[in-house]
Amino acid sequence: QVQLIESGGGPVHQGDSLSVVCAASGFTFSRYDMGWFRQTPDNERDFVGAITFDGSRTYYGASVKGRVSISRDDAKNMLYLQMNTLRPEDTAIYYCAARYMSPVQRLYAPGEYDYWGRGTQVTVSS
């Protein structure tokens, strides 16, 4: 059974840093590109960033570029999202997602992903 379980969210203050993690199981993690998305009640799922299956490339959304970093540990089947200089507009539910490795680099598109976690809430107060 495929599982993606996010954790590490919570309430923080503007300017703080936060690390969110995703624990993967039930599939061959090292063969999957991994992504982070976020969503608020009023918006569509927004691309935060992604990392290719081999960790050779990372991509970031415009709204977070320069403030976040994505990494993975294939030995532990873990995906990480380090967020710095958080802003109130970063408040959202953060989801991790998995896509079987592909030469097509549309990692910003939610429809590309095969599996999704249930998300973890991040709330940034001013």
Side-chain angles (χ1 to χ4, degrees):
Q1 178 183 2
V2 171
Q3 284 192 312
L4 293 171
I5 301 175
E6 302 92 339
S7 62
V12 295
H13 295 290
Q14 183 173 346
D16 285 352
S17 296
L18 186 70
S19 181
V20 179
V21 302
C22 174
S25 62
F27 63 100
T28 306
F29 183 73
S30 61
R31 293 181 182 177
Y32 280 73
D33 302 319
M34 299 297 297
W36 285 102
F37 290 79
R38 65 187 184 185
Q39 189 167 19
T40 60
D42 298 332
N43 294 313
E44 296 180 348
R45 204 154 284 194
D46 184 41
F47 175 66
V48 176
I51 185 167
T52 54
F53 71 98
D54 58 359
S56 64
R57 284 166 289 178
T58 53
Y59 303 88
Y60 298 101
S63 61
V64 299
K65 196 170 186 178
R67 299 189 295 121
V68 305
S69 177
I70 293 175
S71 60
R72 63 189 296 159
D73 185 338
D74 287 359
K76 297 181 180 179
N77 287 0
M78 296 288 287
L79 177 71
Y80 305 95
L81 175 65
Q82 174 67 39
M83 299 185 287
N84 303 313
T85 321
L86 283 161
R87 306 167 181 170
E89 53 265 39
D90 294 319
T91 295
I93 299 174
Y94 283 72
Y95 298 89
C96 71
R99 181 190 81 165
Y100 189 76
M101 60 185 180
S102 169
V104 177
Q105 296 304 319
R106 294 185 69 247
L107 291 168
Y108 55 85
E112 286 286 316
Y113 291 82
D114 304 306
Y115 307 120
W116 290 85
R118 292 189 176 185
T120 185
Q121 176 72 48
V122 173
T123 303
V124 185
S125 60
S126 57

